[in-house]
Amino acid sequence: MYKELFKINYNNKKFLILSNNHRMTFLEIDSNNSLIYPDIEDFINLHNIYNNKNYFIYYRTLNYEEKARLKSALLGITTAASIFLVER
């Protein structure tokens, strides 16, 4: 199943970028806002930009747990509470 990622302007044309298992595919958006297959030159250029990795660049993977920073929120809440309590 393809997921719509975003739209770009490339070579004075509009393209819709789709993803399927981290592989990007491309559809051109024409003047009627309908989707058509791109020209072969545009497809090759977009494929080289979005799908081909440069092997001279080190791509590292990060394993992390998704979190949010609570310290600043906690500091804001305690400051607001202390100001509220001092004014009473």
Side-chain angles (χ1 to χ4, degrees):
M1 170 165 296
Y2 289 95
K3 295 179 184 177
E4 181 179 331
L5 295 181
F6 51 89
K7 297 176 183 174
I8 63 165
N9 291 324
Y10 176 75
N11 204 13
N12 295 325
K13 299 175 188 176
K14 294 180 184 179
F15 291 93
L16 176 65
I17 310 294
L18 304 166
S19 174
N20 184 14
N21 293 330
H22 305 290
R23 180 174 165 76
M24 309 301 174
T25 57
F26 318 99
L27 290 173
E28 186 176 342
I29 304 170
D30 67 356
S31 59
N32 298 331
N33 285 332
S34 58
L35 300 173
I36 57 174
Y37 291 109
D39 297 332
I40 188 70
E41 296 87 14
D42 292 331
F43 176 81
I44 291 172
N45 290 333
L46 289 169
H47 176 77
N48 288 334
I49 293 170
Y50 287 99
N51 289 323
N52 287 344
K53 289 186 177 181
N54 186 347
Y55 292 104
F56 295 109
I57 298 175
Y58 174 69
Y59 296 96
R60 66 179 180 155
T61 58
L62 299 175
N63 294 324
Y64 67 95
E65 184 179 340
E66 188 173 344
K67 295 181 181 179
R69 286 190 257 169
L70 297 176
K71 292 179 184 177
S72 60
L74 184 61
L75 179 64
I77 291 170
T78 55
T79 304
S82 63
I83 291 172
F84 178 74
L85 292 174
V86 169
E87 289 180 358
R88 288 186 131 197

